[in-house]
Amino acid sequence: MSTKPTYEALEKQIAELKQRADECQAEAQKYRTLFNSFPHGISVSDENGNIIETNAMAEKLLSVNKEQHEKMMIDGHEWRILRTDGSVMPHEEWPSIIALKENRMVTNCEMGVVKPGDDVVWINVTAAPLSMKGYGVVITYSDITRLKTFEESLGESEERFEKVYTHMSVGVAQISMDFLIEHANEAYCQMLGYNEEELIGKHLKEITHPEVVMENLEKQSRLASGEIDHYRMDKKFIHKNGHVIHGILDANLVRDAADKPIYFLGSVLDITERKRMEAALMASEEKYRSMMEAMKNAAYISSPDLIIEYMNPRMISRVGQDVTGELCHKAIYGYEKQCPWCLLDNVLQGEQVDYELANPVDNRYYSVTNSPLYHSNGQISKLTIFHDITENKTVEAQLRQARKMESIGTMAGGIAHDFNNILYMITGNAELAMDDIPEWSPAYDSLNAIKAAGLRAADIVKKLLHFTRQTDQDFKPIDAISTIKEALKFMRATIPTTIDINPHFPTKEIMIHGDSTQINQMMMNLCINASQAMEESGGILDVTVTKIRLEEGRTNLPYTAKYETAKNKNGDHFHIKHMAQCCSALPAGEWAKISVRDTGPGIHSETIERIFDPYFTTKDVGKGSGMGLTIVHGIVKNHHGAIYVDSELEQGTTFTIFLPVVTEKPKRKVETYDKIPHGNGEKILFVDDEPIIVEMTTKILKRLRYDVEAETNSINALERFRSKPDAFDIVLTDMTMPNLDGAKLAKKLKEIRPNIPVILCTGHNALINEDEVKSMGIDRYALKPLEIRKIAQILQEILQEDYGTLVP
C-alpha cells in the first residue's frame, strides 16, 4: 500500500513552517536550528528566483550548495530533472518556477534529480508562494528514492502473490463484510466443484453444511465486529454435487490503512480424505477384535513384561485354555524364564521379526510373525501370529522343480539362436546354389527341398520357443482342426512309439475364437499327461474333434460323483468309474467338442477331485511339476469354455473340452511371388560375428546388386561408420554379438547419424520385440533364417521410405 504524503499533510507541514517562521523572528537562533534540523529539504527564494535560505538537508539531497541551488533555480540549463516516466522535465515545468510565476500551489509533484555521476534521486516537491518583501516561493523536498524502489518491489511482490494465490494447493477465498464470495482461487473452486464465476456472489450459507451454519455465522459475526481478528474451525462444506467436503478453515479479518475492516480472507485445507481415513480407522479398530476372533491363525498379545494381554480362540485352542494375565513363556511354552529365542527387545525397538518354526509334535511348519502393537499411551505390546505354512513349503519344493523347467526353456532360447544361424547358412547357400543352376537341373529340386526343410526346421524352432516362454495372447478366429493337427504333428516326436495316436477329425473346419499358441499348449499338456499314463505298457491315444449343438434347457454338462464297485481278476474290489466336472453350465449354441482319451490305468476317486489344483501331482519326482492340468484349466477358462474328466480304473481317462464356435473366418495372407527386387549399387554395412554368415550374406547382397562392406567385429564396424557416416545407405546387423550387441550398435549409429536406416537380424526373437525396436529407432527387424526374397523386400522397403522411389 502506497505511503505517499497527502496534499493535506504537506500543506499542514508548510503552514506550520510559515507559522513558526513568523513566530521565530525574535528567536532567530531557534529558527535556524529548526530549519537546519528539519528532516526534509527546504529552500526559500525571492520573487526573482534568488535563494534566500536553504537548509543542510536540501543541499545534501540535491548535492548542491546555496549558489549552485540558486543557479539551478534561475536558469536550470545544467540540470536534468526527470518526470516519473523517465523523460526530461523542462525548466519551465519545475514546481518552483510555476509557483513563482503563477503564484499558485503545486503539490505532490514527483521528479528525479540527476546528480553528478548520473545517480538519480527521486524527490517529492511541494512549492508554495511566500510573501517576503514581495512574492517568493518556499520549496520542500522529501527523498522518496527508497519509496520508489519499495513501490517497484511491491508491484513485483503483488504479482508474485497473485500467482501464488491462483496456483496454491490450499483453497483461498475473499469474502465481503456481508459474507458474500468476491474471489476464489483454483484450489477453492476445485474443492467445491464450481468455477469462480459460479461462486462469486454466493452467500457462505449456500456452501456450508447445515450442521455448522450457526457455529460458522457466530464466529463470522465476531470477526466482523472486530471482537476477534482470526478464527479456526473444522468446517463442513457442500460440494456442487451434494457431497460433504471436510476442511480446516482459517478466517482472517483484513483492514485498510485506516484500520477499517474491508473483507475476510479464508483459507481452507481439504481434509476430506483424512476424515475418511479417520472414519475407516475407527471402523477398523471396531473390527479389530472381531477379526482377531475370526482369524484362522493362532495369535496372542503380550505386554513388555511378557504378560499375556489377549489370546484369540485359535490360540486358546492350541494352548488348551485361556491363560490371559499369565507369563507367556510359562503358560505357552512351559519355561520358567524368558524363552531363549524371544524377540521382545527387537519388537520394542519397533522391528517386525519373522521366523519359521518346524513343530515336531504335529510335523507342520509355521511362519511366526512378531510385530509391535502401539497403544495410545505410548506403550508397545508384542503381537505374535502363528501361520501354518506346511502347504507353502510343499509348493516351494514344487516351484523349484518348475523353475528348473523354466531354465530349460531359457537354454532352449539360446540354442535356438545358434540353430537358426545354422539353418540360415543351409537355406542361404541353398538359394545361392539354386540361383547358379537352371531350374530344369535335377539338382535344383534337391536344393529346393533342402531350402524347404531348413525353413520347416526354423518353423519347428519357433514353435518350440512358444512352448518354452510366455507369450502375449493373440485371440482371433482360428480353425480348431488345423491347430490341433499341427499340435499333434509336433507332439508325435515326443510321444513313445509304443503309443498309437488316432486322430478323428471332420472334413470341414470348425472355427473358434482363440489363441493358437494356447490351444497348442493345451493339447500338448493333455497329450503328455496321457502318454505318461501309458508309458509302461503302451496304449492308444484317441483325439476326437466334433461340432455339437446344445439346445436351450439342456445346457448343463453331465456331473456325477458315481462310484460303481467291481472286482478285478484277483478278486479285489475297486471303483470302476468317476466323473468330475471343472466348469458348469454352458449357454445354448454351437460348440467345438475336443476329446483326448487314453487307455491307461485311470484316475483314482480320491485323486480326481484335485487334478486341476496347482502343483498337485501323483507322478514321481522329476516327472511332473503339478501345473499341466492347471494350465489347461486356465486356457479353457480364458476361451470361455468348459472341461470335465471321465475316468474308469483300469480302463482309461477321457478329458472333454467344449469351446464356443464362431462364424467369423480368419484373415488369410495372400502371398505373391513377384520378381525379386534388386538394388542399384546402394552401400550396405553388414555386421555379424560369424565369418561364414558374413561371407554368405555378402554374396547374397552382391547378387542383389548392392555394394557391401562387412565386419565381424561390432566395435570395428562402429569406428568404420564413424569415419565416413555418409558413405552408407543402410546398416544390416546381427543382434547377438560380443562387446557390442546389435541393439547397442544401432543406438550408437543413430547418435552419429540419426537418419541412417538400420535393420536388425536375430535368431531368437525373445531377445527383442517390435515395441523395443521402435523405441530404439531401429527401422526393421527380421528373424533368421531369412530367404533372399525376404531380405530383398526389406531392403527395398527401407529404400522406398528413404528415397521415395522403388528401385526396379
Side-chain angles (χ1 to χ4, degrees):
M1 184 176 292
S2 176
T3 57
K4 295 179 182 178
T6 63
Y7 172 81
E8 291 80 7
L10 293 174
E11 185 179 46
K12 183 179 179 181
Q13 290 178 6
I14 295 172
E16 288 176 355
L17 290 175
K18 290 177 67 178
Q19 180 180 354
R20 289 185 181 183
D22 293 337
E23 293 175 351
C24 290
Q25 290 296 327
E27 300 179 7
Q29 187 60 35
K30 291 181 181 181
Y31 161 77
R32 176 59 55 191
T33 301
L34 176 64
F35 186 73
N36 285 328
S37 62
F38 195 70
H40 301 288
I42 303 175
S43 62
V44 181
S45 66
D46 61 17
E47 58 186 1
N48 297 317
N50 298 313
I51 299 298
I52 301 173
E53 295 287 346
T54 181
N55 68 353
M57 183 57 71
E59 295 178 4
K60 179 181 179 181
L61 185 64
L62 300 175
S63 297
V64 296
N65 55 30
K66 181 178 177 181
E67 291 73 20
Q68 291 172 324
H69 193 175
E70 182 175 322
K71 180 175 177 58
M72 178 180 73
M73 289 287 294
I74 294 173
D75 55 38
H77 295 300
E78 297 181 4
W79 295 86
R80 280 191 298 150
I81 305 298
L82 304 180
R83 297 188 179 100
T84 55
D85 62 1
S87 60
V88 176
M89 180 185 294
H91 182 251
E92 57 272 13
E93 292 184 12
W94 293 9
S96 55
I97 301 303
I98 295 175
L100 191 65
K101 291 182 178 181
E102 300 182 10
N103 193 28
R104 64 183 177 89
M105 184 74 70
V106 178
T107 60
N108 291 333
C109 178
E110 295 179 2
M111 63 185 192
V113 178
V114 183
K115 298 171 66 174
D118 290 333
D119 292 334
V120 178
V121 177
W122 287 95
I123 58 176
N124 184 282
V125 180
T126 301
L130 176 67
S131 176
M132 286 182 61
K133 298 180 181 180
Y135 290 98
V137 62
V138 58
I139 310 167
T140 61
Y141 309 94
S142 298
D143 188 348
I144 60 171
T145 304
R146 294 183 62 187
L147 179 62
K148 294 289 285 185
T149 304
F150 174 76
E151 287 178 348
E152 293 176 0
S153 299
L154 181 61
E156 295 174 357
S157 176
E158 289 177 348
E159 183 179 355
R160 286 195 298 271
F161 170 76
E162 178 67 23
K163 292 179 180 179
V164 171
Y165 166 80
T166 302
H167 301 292
M168 67 191 304
S169 59
V170 176
V172 180
Q174 179 178 315
I175 312 299
S176 72
M177 299 304 294
D178 298 326
F179 310 124
L180 302 177
I181 299 175
E182 295 180 333
H183 297 289
N185 71 348
E186 183 64 23
Y188 194 91
C189 294
Q190 287 185 359
M191 181 182 70
L192 296 177
Y194 296 92
N195 57 46
E196 189 177 23
E197 289 74 16
E198 292 174 320
L199 281 175
I200 292 176
K202 281 187 178 293
H203 195 281
L204 288 182
K205 291 192 295 185
E206 298 181 60
I207 60 170
T208 303
H209 194 279
E211 292 180 4
V212 296
V213 165
M214 296 307 297
E215 179 187 2
N216 196 37
L217 286 177
E218 184 271 331
K219 290 188 176 183
Q220 288 168 351
S221 299
R222 293 179 63 195
L223 195 66
S225 65
E227 182 180 347
I228 56 174
D229 286 337
H230 166 265
Y231 72 86
R232 170 178 282 201
M233 66 175 289
D234 285 0
K235 183 176 177 180
K236 294 181 182 178
F237 296 84
I238 300 298
H239 193 275
K240 184 178 181 180
N241 61 18
H243 293 166
V244 177
I245 302 296
H246 294 270
I248 298 178
L249 168 66
D250 279 284
N252 295 273
L253 180 63
V254 180
R255 302 173 184 270
D256 62 12
D259 204 36
K260 178 184 177 183
I262 52 177
Y263 60 84
F264 306 107
L265 193 63
S267 63
V268 182
L269 176 63
D270 189 346
I271 60 169
T272 306
E273 182 62 18
R274 191 179 82 184
K275 285 287 188 181
R276 186 194 66 78
M277 293 179 66
E278 288 175 354
L281 181 60
M282 291 179 62
S284 176
E285 290 175 350
E286 292 175 1
K287 294 177 182 177
Y288 160 72
R289 182 168 295 274
S290 60
M291 290 174 61
M292 291 292 289
E293 300 286 338
M295 68 187 298
K296 294 182 179 181
N297 295 327
Y300 73 94
I301 299 172
S302 60
S303 71
D305 300 325
L306 300 176
I307 301 297
I308 297 177
E309 299 175 330
Y310 170 79
M311 299 175 69
N312 74 343
R314 201 68 151 177
M315 191 69 197
I316 294 173
S317 175
R318 184 168 180 257
V319 175
Q321 59 180 326
D322 189 348
V323 290
T324 301
E326 299 183 23
L327 291 168
C328 62
H329 53 81
K330 184 175 182 179
I332 298 176
Y333 303 103
Y335 283 91
E336 292 297 328
K337 296 182 179 180
Q338 184 174 344
C339 301
W341 61 82
C342 185
L343 300 169
L344 177 65
D345 293 338
N346 302 74
V347 173
L348 294 179
Q349 294 297 320
E351 298 180 28
Q352 176 175 308
V353 186
D354 300 335
Y355 61 85
E356 293 183 1
L357 173 68
N359 191 338
V361 178
D362 56 8
N363 292 319
R364 301 193 72 81
Y365 290 89
Y366 293 93
S367 173
V368 184
T369 301
N370 298 272
S371 306
L373 192 63
Y374 299 93
H375 301 280
S376 57
N377 60 5
Q379 180 178 307
I380 301 177
S381 296
K382 178 168 71 75
L383 171 62
T384 304
I385 302 175
F386 296 86
H387 177 58
D388 191 332
I389 59 169
T390 306
E391 294 297 329
N392 290 357
K393 282 291 185 180
T394 305
V395 169
E396 284 178 7
Q398 294 169 339
L399 183 59
R400 282 192 293 271
Q401 182 65 23
R403 284 175 177 169
K404 291 180 184 177
M405 300 301 295
E406 183 180 349
S407 299
I408 294 174
T410 303
M411 182 179 65
I415 294 174
H417 172 264
D418 294 336
F419 193 58
N420 276 328
N421 274 342
I422 295 172
L423 292 175
Y424 181 35
M425 288 295 302
I426 295 172
T427 58
N429 281 296
E431 286 195 279
L432 286 173
M434 289 169 64
D435 193 46
D436 290 334
I437 61 176
E439 293 187 13
W440 51 261
S441 172
Y444 187 90
D445 292 336
S446 299
L447 291 170
N448 196 28
I450 293 173
K451 172 188 169 184
L455 294 177
R456 175 62 180 164
D459 191 51
I460 292 174
V461 172
K462 187 183 299 183
K463 287 182 173 61
L464 177 64
L465 291 177
H466 277 306
F467 293 121
T468 57
R469 62 183 173 86
Q470 185 177 358
T471 57
D472 295 332
Q473 296 181 0
D474 183 20
F475 281 83
K476 59 186 177 182
I478 59 174
D479 177 20
I481 304 296
S482 59
T483 304
I484 294 174
K485 280 183 179 179
E486 186 177 1
L488 293 180
K489 190 183 298 182
F490 182 73
M491 284 297 302
R492 178 65 274 185
T494 64
I495 294 178
T497 55
T498 57
I499 298 173
D500 293 329
I501 301 178
N502 292 336
H504 305 280
F505 302 135
T507 55
K508 294 184 178 180
E509 61 184 15
I510 301 176
M511 303 305 300
I512 62 172
H513 190 261
D515 184 329
S516 59
T517 300
Q518 289 193 17
I519 299 299
N520 267 290
Q521 187 173 11
M522 177 187 75
M523 294 303 300
M524 180 179 181
N525 288 354
L526 289 175
C527 291
I528 288 177
N529 232 39
S531 67
Q532 288 178 346
M534 299 183 289
E535 63 183 353
E536 291 185 3
S537 58
I540 299 173
L541 177 60
D542 287 318
V543 179
T544 305
V545 181
T546 59
K547 182 163 67 172
I548 66 170
R549 170 173 288 278
L550 294 178
E551 302 297 339
E552 198 71 40
R554 298 181 62 186
T555 57
N556 286 335
L557 294 176
Y559 177 84
T560 65
K562 182 170 60 177
Y563 304 93
E564 297 180 3
T565 303
K567 291 183 180 181
N568 61 14
K569 61 184 179 179
N570 297 323
D572 299 325
H573 290 79
F574 63 95
H575 300 298
I576 65 169
K577 188 170 185 179
H578 181 84
M579 182 182 292
Q581 181 185 334
C582 174
C583 307
S584 56
L586 293 175
E590 290 190 332
W591 295 82
K593 180 181 178 182
I594 305 167
S595 297
V596 178
R597 178 183 177 276
D598 65 69
T599 57
I603 305 174
H604 197 277
S605 60
E606 296 176 357
T607 302
I608 200 165
E609 294 288 354
R610 300 185 59 194
I611 60 173
F612 295 109
D613 292 347
Y615 303 107
F616 177 77
T617 180
T618 59
K619 300 182 179 72
D620 295 336
V621 175
K623 290 192 175 181
S625 65
M627 290 297 294
L629 291 180
T630 303
I631 292 173
V632 170
H633 172 222
I635 292 173
V636 172
K637 188 176 180 181
N638 285 346
H639 286 73
H640 307 289
I643 180 173
Y644 71 88
V645 55
D646 182 358
S647 182
E648 297 183 22
L649 289 178
E650 299 188 358
Q651 297 297 317
T653 302
T654 303
F655 285 87
T656 305
I657 297 165
F658 290 86
L659 299 178
V661 171
V662 297
T663 56
E664 187 179 356
K665 299 292 183 180
K667 297 178 180 178
R668 303 187 183 277
K669 293 183 179 179
V670 179
E671 295 187 3
T672 58
Y673 295 93
D674 297 332
K675 183 180 178 182
I676 296 177
H678 289 73
N680 193 22
E682 290 84 3
K683 178 66 72 70
I684 295 177
L685 175 60
F686 177 65
V687 189
D688 196 298
D689 62 316
E690 295 282 351
I692 55 175
I693 290 181
V694 168
E695 181 182 355
M696 181 194 70
T697 306
T698 300
K699 290 179 181 179
I700 292 174
L701 294 176
K702 286 183 176 181
R703 290 199 182 187
L704 293 173
R705 301 174 191 170
Y706 293 102
D707 187 4
V708 184
E709 290 190 20
E711 278 286 354
T712 57
N713 185 297
S714 55
I715 300 293
N716 294 342
L718 177 62
E719 293 305 317
R720 179 182 290 202
F721 185 84
R722 194 191 307 276
S723 66
K724 47 180 182 179
D726 295 326
F728 299 100
D729 298 300
I730 299 175
V731 176
L732 182 63
T733 176
D734 188 30
M735 176 60 185
T736 306
M737 296 183 293
N739 300 321
L740 195 67
D741 64 31
K744 293 177 182 177
L745 174 62
K747 182 179 179 181
K748 291 185 177 295
L749 294 175
K750 291 284 186 177
E751 290 174 356
I752 298 171
R753 181 182 156 193
N755 66 340
I756 181 67
V758 179
I759 303 171
L760 193 66
C761 294
T762 178
H764 181 21
N765 63 345
L767 299 174
I768 196 166
N769 57 46
E770 190 171 349
D771 292 336
E772 292 173 343
V773 166
K774 291 180 179 178
S775 68
M776 291 185 292
I778 296 172
D779 300 86
R780 291 287 192 283
Y781 89 103
L783 297 179
K784 296 179 183 177
L786 278 175
E787 296 181 77
I788 293 179
R789 180 183 299 277
K790 185 65 176 177
I791 296 176
Q793 288 174 345
I794 292 175
L795 291 172
Q796 285 301 300
E797 288 173 2
I798 292 292
L799 292 175
Q800 187 180 31
E801 289 179 6
D802 284 355
Y803 308 116
T805 180
L806 185 64
V807 181

